[in-house]
Amino acid sequence: MRKYSRRFQQIVQKISKNKLYSPLEAIELLQVLSNVKFIETMEAHIVLGLDPKYADQQLRSTVILPKGTGKIVKVAVVTKGEKVSEAISAKADIVGSEDLIDQIFQGRLDFDKLIATPDVMPLIARLGRVLGPRGLMPSPKAGTVTNDLKRSVAEFKAGKLEYRVDRSGVLHVALGKLNFLSNDLYLNLISLQESVDKNRPSGSKGKYWKSVYLSSTMGPSIPIDINLLKNNGINY
């Protein structure tokens, strides 16, 4: 049986059992309950009615959080030719061609996002075993395979996130720091909700949204009333 610290147990007691909180109420409660020595991140954990083992029930997309993530994102770009100078002018943190591919193959992973132009993807294929398990492999679906380097680098640095369901059909997404204004965190949550609805897989049948929980890095999870999320016409 898992053991929790006294601090954690005291926090849990302040959360009402068998209650579904409104999104904003849950956010504000997480902010009040946070009592660690660093600024925690707020996370959303969304259980969806998907079985990712089927190709038409996989969910992988991106969302631009309007208030950012509060995290400094280090972006690497693999490209060649004239696109190298474009990537540098776009303020990518790391830029290279075959040399950078070799460095990554040898273990260099000091970046949060890897963007590549289509012409170098055949060269990057050999990095699958290195990048794949870390979720860093460039993909057109994720917006990380593109010729528009200026836009892509700017978006990821501003708060664009890639998300995907895990093997059990659950999304885990960091939505910002707890020292954000509560309304700003709420706006980020709504943007995620709208994106998840917009990108509903074609094979999804029945109830799409099953449950939503908000939590902080070191805190407990708080159940959310799905119907109180912004209603955009989707029947939950």
Side-chain angles (χ1 to χ4, degrees):
M1 184 176 179
R2 186 175 180 180
K3 293 183 179 180
Y4 294 101
S5 66
R6 181 179 299 177
R7 178 198 69 83
F8 189 92
Q9 291 176 9
Q10 291 174 342
I11 292 176
V12 170
Q13 292 175 5
K14 297 178 182 179
I15 300 174
S16 299
K17 294 182 179 180
N18 303 317
K19 175 182 177 179
L20 293 177
Y21 288 78
S22 72
L24 195 55
E25 185 181 16
I27 291 169
E28 292 173 344
L29 184 56
L30 285 174
Q31 291 175 320
V32 170
L33 295 179
S34 180
N35 60 1
V36 292
K37 295 181 179 179
F38 65 93
I39 300 172
E40 296 182 87
T41 297
M42 188 185 83
E43 304 165 355
H45 305 278
I46 305 170
V47 181
L48 297 170
L50 298 174
D51 188 346
K53 71 180 180 181
Y54 298 106
D56 62 354
Q57 293 190 45
Q58 295 176 4
L59 175 62
R60 180 181 183 182
S61 189
T62 59
V63 59
I64 298 177
L65 301 180
K67 300 301 178 179
T69 63
K71 178 183 177 181
I72 297 175
V73 179
K74 193 171 184 179
V75 177
V77 174
V78 177
T79 187
K80 60 183 179 180
E82 295 179 357
K83 288 291 182 179
V84 171
S85 58
E86 181 181 333
I88 294 173
S89 65
K91 298 184 179 179
D93 300 283
I94 303 170
V95 181
S97 299
E98 287 89 344
D99 58 333
L100 181 53
I101 292 175
D102 289 338
Q103 290 172 24
I104 294 172
F105 189 75
Q106 293 168 12
R108 181 177 184 179
L109 293 166
D110 57 336
F111 49 86
D112 303 299
K113 191 65 59 177
L114 179 63
I115 298 172
T117 46
D119 57 346
V120 298
M121 284 306 295
L123 301 175
I124 292 179
R126 70 188 180 105
L127 299 178
R129 291 185 179 181
V130 177
L131 300 174
R134 297 170 175 79
L136 292 172
M137 191 68 181
S139 162
K141 264 190 174 181
T144 47
V145 176
T146 177
N147 279 314
D148 192 349
L149 296 177
K150 184 176 181 180
R151 177 179 177 180
S152 186
V153 171
E155 286 181 343
F156 280 109
K157 282 184 169 291
K160 184 176 183 179
L161 289 180
E162 178 186 358
Y163 62 84
R164 69 172 74 182
V165 291
D166 63 16
R167 293 180 180 179
S168 56
V170 182
L171 280 178
H172 307 280
V173 184
L175 292 173
K177 300 292 186 179
L178 279 187
N179 64 344
F180 283 18
L181 294 176
S182 56
N183 282 331
D184 288 349
L185 289 171
Y186 177 68
L187 287 175
N188 281 353
L189 174 61
I190 292 302
S191 294
L192 174 63
Q193 173 257 315
E194 292 176 340
S195 178
V196 171
D197 280 334
K198 179 181 178 182
N199 293 286
R200 182 173 182 165
S202 60
S204 172
K205 298 178 181 178
K207 192 173 184 179
Y208 185 40
W209 290 72
K210 289 191 171 182
S211 64
V212 180
Y213 289 82
L214 295 183
S215 68
S216 57
T217 308
M218 299 292 289
S221 59
I222 300 176
I224 300 301
D225 188 335
I226 298 173
N227 294 316
L228 294 180
L229 281 174
K230 182 179 180 182
N231 189 344
N232 56 7
I234 299 297
N235 182 15
Y236 299 113

